Amino acid sequence: MDLIAGVGEETVNMMIEPFSCVKSVDGENKNLNPDIENFLKENAIQFAKEKKSITYLVGDEESGEILGYFTLAHKAVVIPADGLSKTTIKRMNRYAQLNETTNTFTVSGFLIAQLGKNYAIEDGNLIKGTELMHLARNELLEIQYRAGGGLIYLDCEADARLIDFYENEGFKLFGERISQHDGKRYLQYMKFV
């Protein structure tokens, strides 16, 4: 929103146009995540204007290129108590109350809605996923400091490299969902701030 206010929506659209998730793999161009690319180019500005989510662009100060981005939102999520450790249930009780009828917690949490890097950047300048996650986490810590809360969650496709990445970042699987939009299966992960 700050960028739109500063340089205008048209300029922001021009800045994000080169962003691409297409990477050369074994001599063949492959779009690693068209949803990440499409969200940035088609929805990020409108969602920010509607206050659905806020997208943070991560740029190279020297070249001005966008290295990656992350999108944050705040919304409720239902987490089944089954399978949660006693320690996790105890921590969850700080943010939500257990619905004994459904044996679930409905908790308002910080959603990392999108996290993506720009593969149109030269390989030597590519940002690492861990760097993007670190930046998103730091932003969430600032928000938590001002507004409270303590749960971060996200959805990801059931892809082995994404699963490894999020689990290495300390996220724990709590469920799955099928997208009504595209029928894809998404795994749901959470972690306390």
Side-chain angles (χ1 to χ4, degrees), residues 81 84-98 105 107 151 190 192:
L84 297 180
S85 70
K86 289 180 182 180
T87 303
T88 300
I89 289 173
K90 186 176 179 179
R91 288 186 80 183
M92 190 67 73
N93 279 320
R94 290 176 31 197
Y95 305 108
Q97 188 171 5
L98 178 67
F105 292 97
V107 59
L151 181 81
M190 64 177 239
F192 292 102

Side-chain angles (χ1 to χ4, degrees), residues 28-53:
E28 187 178 318
N29 286 340
K30 181 178 180 183
N31 196 330
L32 299 179
N33 200 329
D35 292 340
I36 293 290
E37 187 174 331
N38 290 340
F39 178 83
L40 180 62
K41 293 178 179 181
E42 312 266 329
N43 301 107
I45 291 173
Q46 188 61 37
F47 279 32
K49 287 166 43 176
E50 295 173 3
K51 306 268 191 288
K52 288 182 181 178
S53 62

Side-chain angles (χ1 to χ4, degrees), residues 30-159:
K30 181 178 180 183
N31 196 330
L32 299 179
N33 200 329
D35 292 340
I36 293 290
E37 187 174 331
N38 290 340
F39 178 83
L40 180 62
K41 293 178 179 181
E42 312 266 329
N43 301 107
I45 291 173
Q46 188 61 37
F47 279 32
K49 287 166 43 176
E50 295 173 3
K51 306 268 191 288
K52 288 182 181 178
S53 62
I54 301 297
T55 296
Y56 296 79
L57 302 176
V58 179
D60 181 298
E61 289 182 15
E62 289 179 26
S63 70
E65 292 178 302
I66 295 174
L67 302 176
Y69 80 96
F70 57 91
T71 301
L72 305 177
H74 195 260
K75 63 188 270 191
V77 63
V78 176
I79 299 176
D82 294 336
L84 297 180
S85 70
K86 289 180 182 180
T87 303
T88 300
I89 289 173
K90 186 176 179 179
R91 288 186 80 183
M92 190 67 73
N93 279 320
R94 290 176 31 197
Y95 305 108
Q97 188 171 5
L98 178 67
N99 179 328
E100 293 181 15
T101 305
T102 61
N103 199 34
T104 60
F105 292 97
T106 300
V107 59
S108 181
F110 303 115
L111 171 65
I112 299 177
Q114 303 288 338
L115 184 80
K117 55 185 171 178
N118 186 2
Y119 287 95
I121 303 293
E122 292 181 31
D123 279 345
N125 295 333
L126 276 177
I127 192 167
K128 294 181 178 160
T130 53
E131 292 175 84
L132 278 174
M133 182 59 75
H134 179 78
L135 292 168
R137 185 175 177 276
N138 284 348
E139 190 63 36
L140 289 171
L141 286 171
E142 282 292 317
I143 295 167
Q144 179 197 32
Y145 178 76
R146 290 190 294 268
L151 181 81
I152 303 172
Y153 72 101
L154 56 87
D155 293 349
C156 75
E157 291 183 42
D159 175 293

